[in-house]
Amino acid sequence: MEIEIEEKSPVTRQAEYFMNLDDLQATALSINYTGQYLLLAGRRHLALKNLDNYAEPLQLFNRNSKFEVSCAEFAICNQSSAFCAIATSQLIEVLKWTEASPVLEYSLRAHTRVVTDIDWHSKHPYMLATCSIDTYTHLWDLRDPKRPILSLSAVCMSGATQAGFSRASGNFIATAHDGDLRIWDIRKGSRPVQYITAHLNRIHGINWSHTEESNLITASQDGSVKFFDINNPRRAERIITTSTPSPVWRARYTPPSFKDGLITIIVPLVSSEGGENSLLLWSNSKNSQSPVCSFTGHKDVILDFAYRNDPNSMSDELEICTWSRDQTFRVWKLDKALQDLCSQNTIETESAVIALEYHQNQKNVPQPSCSLLHEFTICSIKSVPGVQKFEYDIEKRNAMARVSANGFIIILQVIFPSAYPTPAHPVFEFCPGTTIDENLSLKLMKVLKETAASRLKKGKACLDSCLRALVSEFKKETGGDKAHYLRLQSPRLEGALSKALSDSMIPFPKTSGVKFNPTGILVTFSRPFASKRYSLRNQTTTPRALSALSGGYLGNVNGSKPVFYQPKDIMDRKSSMGVSICIYDVSKLLMVSKELAENYVIIPSNLPSMCKRNKEIAEEFGRPDLVQTWSIAETIALALNNSDFELSDDEMFSSPNPFAKAFLEALINHYAKQGDVQTAAMLCVTFGKYCQEISSRTSSFSTKSNTSHLHAQRLLKQSASPYHTVTAMDINSQNSIKYNAWVLAQHLKGQTRSNSWSDSLDDFRINEINRSILGESNRNFYDTLKKTYADILYCFNLLPARAQVMKFVSFPVQQPSTVEFMSECVQCKKTSRGPSCLHCKKFLLYCAFCNLPIKGSANSCLACCHSFHTAHLLEWFENHDICPVPECGCCCPENFASS
């Protein structure tokens, strides 16, 4: 038995003010923080309207862009209220509005596809989020606009269409990807904390509650508005369904000053009548069954709306400003009477899902000829040819049909409003599992809607006729070679390809792994032994991620939130989405000790005291082996304490102790081979020259002031931190450690000789600036040890200690620059590098001796530009002095260069 509840017709309101702007062609609307100014943004103009004085003329500013404005938003914090972000194609322009005109402050560039939405943070004045169909959502801080501070990637086939910060706390951001929602916690990095399967069609709008941190609403193409609590995302808290049902373009909570309200923009199915009743006010109470108010006046689709409420005023009165495709701007008032209507309670219903349907202009409606149950029964008994499966649910008033033709499949869902079969049309939707592309989907959807409309005009049931028309057109369109209608599966499957496509090049996901970090933490992941094993017997596609092995394409989509780990002394074991993650502290197994690094001292002015103190530290932390080493170092330092530092390296050790230098080098090599970079580097620092205390001249500069200036320049070029001692290698510490370890390994294999250019090019300058007590023969090796240890200190976050170590690293000699050759192609006349032209693929260089192409290295004359194979070069110029090309006469040996 169906119980009909009488619904009251909503009140209607006319606009308080409107303005016709036919020539503006704006596509985006926004109101500033104070509510004084309205911005209308379009491809050709930016229009600013003073809402406090309607008589004041509209201000126009020319843009003349070739792209339409996809969205425009004023900042919503008082500190940044002058800023407005405007998205055009892939670019986001941030304008600052002055009294005279807008000024371009920043250009944000990171997206590779069209930007679809912008949202400002309600707590941080200079933070905003931008999303794009390139699947990325970028978070920006305008105080550092060169790059996003955080990038959120959905890793799916559908782009991000909407993005919105939570209003209550600002800690969460929601992004829409087709019909799915992803919830991100900006405090926890670039991984979603929640997945919500919200709608079967695209989401057009996201809006967070002003008071509840975890509550938000979504507006969708499927004609519904859904209320979600992100802490319980398995089902919607409430659903509003439009009567047609027509797509919902926007749905937004009313501001806190106007409680319990919700405004929606409906996109009508019939555009000629659609503008009249497309802006609706709903009560936010769970037991409300119809819209409270309808705002009439627009004759076409409303593109956007915004609330106008002075945040500095205590008045509860609110205004709605709208911009429509009919090129009119209108203002409505939400007075106290409407707020009272939103607060009224009505009869409660037992249904968990409340359908709020709005019916108007239903005069002369034919009476229904049969009930919905009767129609479902007829379709089930007749079994329409081509329909493989038909199911229905009379309580939910929907039906599902599976249609197959010529190897293609359609999964059709039909939803019937309560007034059916009056002109309240049923909703048709193609569900996941459908294997036709968008073009054919649009054609078949048009057939369904036209068939339903023709039947409903006569007051007759339409389901049977619609299914028959669908099957007929489906077979017609897919007959013959129609392979281009095949499409990928729904983006909701996280990138899973259709069964018809081969995925043989996709590797099977790793089920285990292990990784060390430089500070002694070992992280492992694996599938638990007790987890359910994954079977490939019935699987036709390769799983795209380890989480897919735990069941489904997304694993535990609605499961527990991800766990973020902190390292512990022994072990930390967690399990998330079927993956066991273990974190071990293995620092005790390493030769480098963080405790020693924190306590070691560097005293360049008093080496014996430095060695003695470090010996005491090694004894304190239970390292008797290092106690002995630092005792030897102390003895050497005492022997050198009275020696003259102005002596040459060869004379320095001859008088006090002729074996000190050899003994010290042996100690350093011993610890380097054992992997104890810490001790080896500290010995190098102890007996290395303190570079910043040396003032000497170079071969390029004759005065001490010039030398100091060169010194400062090099420090600034190498610096990546306020300490001015972090070299460029430390931008990625792990990579620099691997590189230095490789250099160290090469040295231990016997490759200890420095590069030929560093030995011969500028030896005088090296010896003057960076002369070390250990000498210059192994300077590169000692510098590598110091840099490697400095990078380890950087990973330990011991920046002052690292800065001290880096002061003992000598300045590298600049490698002489070389000439890079660009050759002009004989065929296409374009320049290119390498053996062949990058444009026409023809060889660029030909040997002047044999006239054959040169595929490898080439020797070219800089005077006549003729090139040679190396073997032919040696053969010809062994007995000749001029170029082998007739009538050239160039003396090539004097002008040769290699490339």
Side-chain angles (χ1 to χ4, degrees):
M1 176 182 295
E2 295 186 5
I3 301 176
E4 296 291 339
I5 299 177
E6 183 180 357
E7 300 177 358
K8 295 182 179 180
S9 299
V11 298
T12 60
R13 292 292 173 90
Q14 297 291 333
E16 299 283 334
Y17 172 83
F18 82 95
M19 176 183 288
N20 196 336
L21 303 169
D22 288 332
D23 298 332
L24 190 57
Q25 300 298 319
T27 55
L29 170 147
S30 183
I31 293 180
N32 74 333
Y33 174 77
T34 63
Q36 181 180 2
Y37 291 103
L38 166 83
L39 172 68
L40 296 172
R43 181 175 60 86
R44 296 182 299 170
H45 302 287
L46 295 179
L48 197 67
K49 177 66 178 176
N50 187 349
L51 299 179
D52 290 341
N53 184 5
Y54 290 131
E56 185 176 313
L58 193 72
Q59 300 181 55
L60 287 179
F61 305 96
N62 293 330
R63 288 190 73 243
N64 293 325
S65 172
K66 63 180 180 179
F67 300 108
E68 294 288 354
V69 174
S70 56
C71 48
E73 291 291 338
F74 272 105
I76 56 178
C77 289
N78 188 31
Q79 298 94 318
S80 57
S81 58
F83 288 110
C84 179
I86 299 177
T88 305
S89 186
Q90 305 168 14
L91 175 66
I92 303 99
E93 297 175 319
V94 180
L95 307 179
K96 186 175 183 180
W97 291 87
T98 62
E99 295 182 357
S101 62
V103 177
L104 179 62
E105 288 287 319
Y106 312 106
S107 292
L108 310 181
R109 301 172 184 269
H111 291 290
T112 59
R113 303 288 296 278
V114 175
V115 176
T116 54
D117 195 22
I118 295 173
D119 194 50
W120 289 84
H121 202 285
S122 60
K123 310 296 182 184
H124 299 287
Y126 302 102
M127 182 182 291
L128 73 156
T130 61
C131 65
S132 167
I133 58 177
D134 61 7
T135 74
Y136 277 92
T137 300
H138 295 309
L139 272 59
W140 305 83
D141 189 335
L142 296 184
R143 292 168 297 184
D144 184 18
K146 294 182 180 180
R147 60 186 63 85
I149 59 174
L150 183 62
S151 296
L152 311 174
S153 176
V155 194
C156 64
M157 295 171 59
S158 58
T161 56
Q162 290 288 304
F165 285 109
S166 60
R167 295 295 182 229
S169 67
N171 294 329
F172 297 100
I173 183 171
T175 59
H177 308 267
D178 264 1
D180 293 340
L181 281 179
R182 281 167 176 76
I183 310 298
W184 318 74
D185 190 334
I186 62 177
R187 301 165 298 179
K188 296 183 178 180
S190 56
R191 178 182 177 183
V193 297
Q194 196 58 266
Y195 297 86
I196 301 178
T197 303
H199 296 269
L200 298 177
N201 278 6
R202 174 167 293 184
I203 296 173
H204 293 309
I206 298 175
N207 193 241
W208 289 82
S209 169
H210 294 277
T211 56
E212 301 296 331
E213 182 185 30
S214 61
N215 291 355
L216 77 162
I217 56 176
T218 57
S220 172
Q221 179 74 18
D222 61 13
S224 68
V225 177
K226 294 187 178 182
F227 295 69
F228 288 99
D229 184 343
I230 63 173
N231 294 323
N232 185 24
R234 291 181 178 272
R235 57 176 296 174
E237 299 278 313
R238 176 188 173 205
I239 300 176
I240 294 177
T241 305
T242 56
S243 61
T244 312
S246 300
V248 184
W249 179 243
R250 291 288 185 267
R252 291 174 185 153
Y253 290 102
T254 52
S257 60
F258 189 97
K259 297 180 180 179
D260 298 327
L262 178 73
I263 298 290
T264 62
I265 295 178
I266 309 298
V267 180
L269 295 180
V270 183
S271 60
S272 60
E273 302 176 359
E276 285 293 332
N277 305 313
S278 60
L279 190 68
L280 302 175
L281 170 65
W282 307 79
S283 172
N284 212 19
S285 175
K286 288 188 176 180
N287 46 21
S288 177
Q289 301 183 42
S290 63
V292 171
C293 180
S294 171
F295 303 93
T296 60
H298 283 300
K299 300 300 181 183
D300 207 338
V301 176
I302 298 175
L303 297 177
D304 205 353
F305 76 95
Y307 299 110
R308 180 174 182 252
N309 185 15
D310 188 350
N312 299 318
S313 173
M314 299 302 295
S315 174
D316 291 338
E317 202 167 79
L318 190 67
E319 290 182 346
I320 305 176
C321 302
T322 62
W323 175 251
S324 171
R325 202 159 56 189
D326 62 12
Q327 298 302 295
T328 61
F329 159 66
R330 296 176 187 266
V331 179
W332 284 275
K333 285 193 178 295
L334 296 178
D335 51 22
K336 187 68 166 57
L338 289 180
Q339 184 168 354
D340 292 339
L341 288 176
C342 290
S343 302
Q344 291 177 357
N345 294 326
T346 56
I347 302 174
E348 295 185 0
T349 61
E350 296 181 357
S351 174
V353 179
I354 304 174
L356 305 181
E357 301 174 352
Y358 170 51
H359 310 292
Q360 279 189 338
N361 303 323
Q362 297 185 6
K363 298 179 180 179
N364 301 323
V365 176
Q367 295 298 318
S369 59
C370 64
S371 68
L372 185 61
L373 178 60
H374 184 212
E375 186 173 1
F376 284 163
T377 306
I378 291 176
C379 291
S380 299
I381 296 175
K382 283 187 176 180
S383 185
V384 179
V387 179
Q388 294 180 340
K389 189 176 182 181
F390 181 83
E391 298 176 349
Y392 63 90
D393 188 329
I394 190 62
E395 294 182 358
K396 295 182 179 180
R397 301 181 66 83
N398 63 25
M400 296 286 292
R402 176 187 171 93
V403 182
S404 177
N406 301 319
F408 296 88
I409 296 174
I410 290 178
I411 307 296
L412 175 68
Q413 181 183 32
V414 189
I415 304 173
F416 298 88
S418 59
Y420 175 84
T422 63
H425 293 204
V427 181
F428 301 99
E429 183 176 342
F430 294 136
C431 299
T434 302
T435 59
I436 57 175
D437 64 7
E438 185 175 358
N439 293 330
L440 183 55
S441 298
L442 294 175
K443 292 181 181 179
L444 297 180
M445 190 62 68
K446 182 179 179 181
V447 171
L448 288 169
K449 291 180 179 179
E450 290 177 350
T451 305
S454 64
R455 296 284 295 176
L456 292 176
K457 282 182 180 179
K458 304 175 184 179
K460 296 182 179 180
C462 67
L463 181 57
D464 183 77
S465 299
C466 288
L467 290 177
R468 293 181 183 276
L470 173 66
V471 172
S472 176
E473 187 68 18
F474 188 28
K475 290 181 178 180
K476 176 183 175 182
E477 288 292 333
T478 57
D481 185 14
K482 298 290 183 179
H484 59 279
Y485 284 136
L486 187 65
R487 71 172 180 183
L488 299 181
Q489 293 289 341
S490 169
R492 294 155 53 82
L493 301 183
E494 290 298 309
L497 299 177
S498 172
K499 294 180 180 180
L501 299 180
S502 171
D503 64 344
S504 59
M505 301 302 294
I506 298 176
F508 195 84
K510 288 185 177 181
T511 58
S512 62
V514 60
K515 184 73 174 180
F516 281 96
N517 86 329
T519 60
I521 299 299
L522 174 65
V523 181
T524 67
F525 76 91
S526 63
R527 298 187 64 204
F529 291 106
S531 64
K532 183 179 178 181
R533 297 294 95 184
Y534 184 77
S535 175
L536 296 176
R537 180 174 300 174
N538 299 321
Q539 182 68 24
T540 58
T541 58
T542 303
R544 267 46 177 188
L546 180 58
S547 59
L549 302 181
S550 301
Y553 287 94
L554 293 177
N556 186 13
V557 176
N558 296 315
S560 60
K561 297 182 179 179
V563 181
F564 297 87
Y565 310 108
Q566 295 293 336
K568 296 183 179 179
D569 291 338
I570 301 176
M571 184 186 75
D572 187 7
R573 181 187 296 271
K574 298 290 181 182
S575 179
S576 176
M577 297 183 71
V579 180
S580 177
I581 302 174
C582 299
I583 302 176
Y584 302 89
D585 184 355
V586 295
S587 58
K588 301 297 183 182
L589 304 179
L590 303 181
M591 299 298 294
V592 179
S593 171
K594 183 177 181 181
E595 291 81 4
L596 292 177
E598 290 175 334
N599 291 276
Y600 271 155
V601 297
I602 298 177
I603 309 174
S605 59
N606 194 337
L607 296 185
S609 297
M610 171 183 171
C611 295
K612 182 178 180 180
R613 177 57 186 152
N614 290 338
K615 178 182 68 175
E616 295 172 353
I617 292 172
E619 186 176 7
E620 179 181 349
F621 287 97
R623 291 295 302 271
D625 55 328
L626 297 183
V627 171
Q628 186 177 8
T629 300
W630 284 112
S631 297
I632 297 173
E634 183 183 5
T635 302
I636 297 176
L638 288 171
L640 298 176
N641 196 32
N642 298 323
S643 62
D644 189 358
F645 274 68
E646 298 301 322
L647 295 175
S648 66
D649 294 332
D650 295 330
E651 298 171 340
M652 191 172 295
F653 291 92
S654 59
S655 179
N657 192 337
F659 302 104
K661 179 180 179 182
F663 192 21
L664 190 59
E665 290 178 343
L667 274 178
I668 295 175
N669 285 324
H670 167 75
Y671 283 110
K673 290 179 180 180
Q674 295 297 322
D676 190 351
V677 179
Q678 184 177 36
T679 304
M682 284 299 296
L683 289 174
C684 294
V685 168
T686 303
F687 297 98
K689 197 68 173 178
Y690 188 63
C691 299
Q692 291 194 351
E693 293 183 352
I694 298 175
S695 297
S696 60
R697 61 184 178 85
T698 67
S699 59
S700 302
F701 295 86
S702 58
T703 63
K704 293 183 179 180
S705 60
N706 286 338
T707 303
S708 300
H709 179 68
L710 176 62
H711 189 175
Q713 272 190 335
R714 286 177 175 168
L715 282 178
L716 289 175
K717 287 182 180 179
Q718 295 177 356
S719 177
S721 79
Y723 292 94
H724 295 300
T725 54
V726 181
T727 63
M729 296 174 63
D730 298 304
I731 295 176
N732 189 335
S733 297
Q734 296 190 25
N735 290 337
S736 62
I737 290 175
K738 293 178 181 177
Y739 171 77
N740 289 333
W742 178 83
V743 175
L744 181 61
Q746 298 301 316
H747 181 90
L748 296 178
K749 290 180 180 179
Q751 301 178 9
T752 58
R753 184 173 181 179
S754 58
N755 294 333
S756 58
W757 54 266
S758 64
D759 288 338
S760 59
L761 183 65
D762 209 354
D763 287 337
F764 174 75
R765 181 165 64 91
I766 296 294
N767 290 329
E768 285 294 319
I769 296 181
N770 299 314
R771 183 166 57 176
S772 168
I773 296 176
L774 290 171
E776 291 300 315
S777 59
N778 291 324
R779 178 180 56 84
N780 290 342
F781 173 54
Y782 299 147
D783 283 347
T784 300
L785 289 172
K786 298 171 191 175
K787 290 179 181 179
T788 303
Y789 182 50
D791 288 335
I792 295 174
L793 293 174
Y794 182 83
C795 295
F796 284 145
N797 201 27
L798 301 177
L799 300 185
R802 181 192 186 284
Q804 284 187 302
V805 172
M806 288 302 296
K807 291 177 181 178
F808 289 85
V809 177
S810 61
F811 298 118
V813 179
Q814 295 294 329
Q815 189 170 4
S817 59
T818 58
V819 178
E820 184 177 10
F821 291 92
M822 299 289 290
S823 303
E824 183 180 71
C825 180
V826 179
Q827 302 293 332
C828 64
K829 304 300 181 182
K830 295 181 179 180
T831 59
S832 182
R833 60 171 60 90
S836 60
C837 178
L838 298 177
H839 307 282
C840 64
K841 308 304 180 184
K842 301 294 183 180
F843 285 104
L844 293 174
L845 300 178
Y846 288 80
C847 181
F849 183 86
C850 65
N851 293 326
L852 294 177
I854 302 175
K855 301 180 181 180
S857 60
N859 296 86
S860 302
C861 176
L862 298 180
C864 65
C865 298
H866 292 136
S867 302
F868 301 85
H869 288 107
T870 303
H872 294 162
L873 170 73
L874 297 176
E875 180 181 351
W876 174 261
F877 288 105
E878 185 177 359
N879 301 316
H880 303 82
D881 295 326
I882 60 173
C883 182
V885 178
E887 301 180 0
C888 177
C890 176
C891 187
C892 296
E894 298 177 2
N895 304 298
F896 270 123
S898 298
S899 63

